[in-house]
Amino acid sequence: MKKSELLELLAADEMRPVLDIARESAHLLDNAELQENMVLLSSQWENLEKEEQSGTVAWDTLLQNRNRVKRSLLGLMAALPEQLPVTRDVAGNAKAMAVKPGIPEERFKRQIFFFMLAAKCWIIFWILFHKGTGGFTSGEALATISLLLPAFTAYTTVMLGDFIKNRNKPALPAAFAPRVSKTLSTITWIVFPVYVLALHWIIGEKAAGTLADNPQANYESMTGWLAVVESAFGIYVGQIISEVFKNE
């Protein structure tokens, strides 16, 4: 529901639904001060309705009090976002807006970041492990890490930069929070593990000496296969990361 619709209800003197929607919005937005003020206004409005029904208060006094509550409500509504996290049911009562389908974007971002960080550490460990067992010389290990490090570093730098930029950004209610479609999530968890497993397999095959007949050709074959993997999967990994962690 948009705030402009709420203002239209207020202009039509529909105070009860306006108070209900504003109070529910304050609750969903987790704004304690706004919640307290809305509760007080609702209480005041209930008292005014009782006074109106009893007929014990002069009409001009009652009208002044009603306008005072409306002005207070209008001032408090300035703290509400343009898109409210509520809608109205068939009876006109406020209810929480349904959560959009998919995975919360923030959770998806954290999953990708920690997966890529763990993958980066594992690949480096895998190379160093084979260096220790004789599958790589010191020069080959260093050259291979230097070959793979820029891509991994570029990915994690974009992700870490996004987290730092949004470090003080308040959490949004579930109805407002951006979400990632299940299709993109499924594609991500197919492409990313295959990408890392392909690197793992190529490095292992080089260490085992099965990529070529002699050590020099074996290492050159490994670098060639790594380039193929980077070309085949790296572009998809980079595209997903750039879109999910894109600058706002």
Side-chain angles (χ1 to χ4, degrees), residues 58-176:
W59 175 250
D60 57 342
T61 302
L62 187 62
L63 186 60
Q64 289 176 4
N65 291 336
R66 288 169 63 94
N67 289 335
R68 178 175 51 81
V69 173
K70 285 183 180 181
R71 285 194 297 270
S72 298
L73 178 58
L74 191 60
L76 292 175
M77 285 171 59
L80 295 174
E82 291 302 319
Q83 179 65 47
L84 303 177
V86 296
T87 184
R88 301 179 73 189
D89 58 21
V90 292
N93 300 317
K95 68 175 183 178
M97 187 181 295
V99 176
K100 298 175 183 178
I103 300 170
E105 187 177 87
E106 286 303 314
R107 187 175 75 184
F108 186 68
K109 285 181 176 182
R110 289 195 297 269
Q111 289 175 347
I112 292 177
F113 176 73
F114 287 114
F115 176 85
M116 292 301 290
L117 192 63
K120 178 179 179 179
C121 292
W122 171 254
I123 293 298
I124 292 175
F125 166 80
W126 190 233
I127 294 171
L128 295 177
F129 169 79
H130 287 301
K131 173 183 172 293
T133 58
F136 279 77
T137 65
S138 296
E140 289 175 342
L142 181 60
T144 305
I145 292 173
S146 299
L147 184 66
L148 296 175
L149 203 57
F152 277 113
T153 302
Y155 300 148
T156 53
T157 298
V158 171
M159 293 185 280
L160 187 59
D162 182 85
F163 290 134
I164 293 174
K165 181 181 64 178
N166 296 312
R167 65 189 182 280
N168 296 320
K169 189 175 181 180
L172 294 172
F176 284 170

Side-chain angles (χ1 to χ4, degrees), residues 182-194:
K182 290 183 178 180
T183 302
L184 177 59
S185 177
T186 301
I187 292 173
T188 300
W189 297 121
I190 292 174
V191 171
F192 280 35
V194 169

Side-chain angles (χ1 to χ4, degrees), residues 23 27 40 42 146 151 194 199 202 221 243:
R23 188 172 62 249
H27 171 71
L40 288 175
S42 296
S146 299
V194 169
L199 297 178
I202 292 168
S221 296
E243 283 300 315

Side-chain angles (χ1 to χ4, degrees), residues 191-221:
V191 171
F192 280 35
V194 169
Y195 171 67
V196 175
L197 287 173
L199 297 178
H200 174 90
W201 179 82
I202 292 168
I203 292 168
E205 289 299 301
K206 187 276 172 195
T210 56
L211 292 178
D213 296 331
N214 61 78
Q216 180 61 33
N218 194 47
Y219 179 76
E220 291 176 354
S221 296

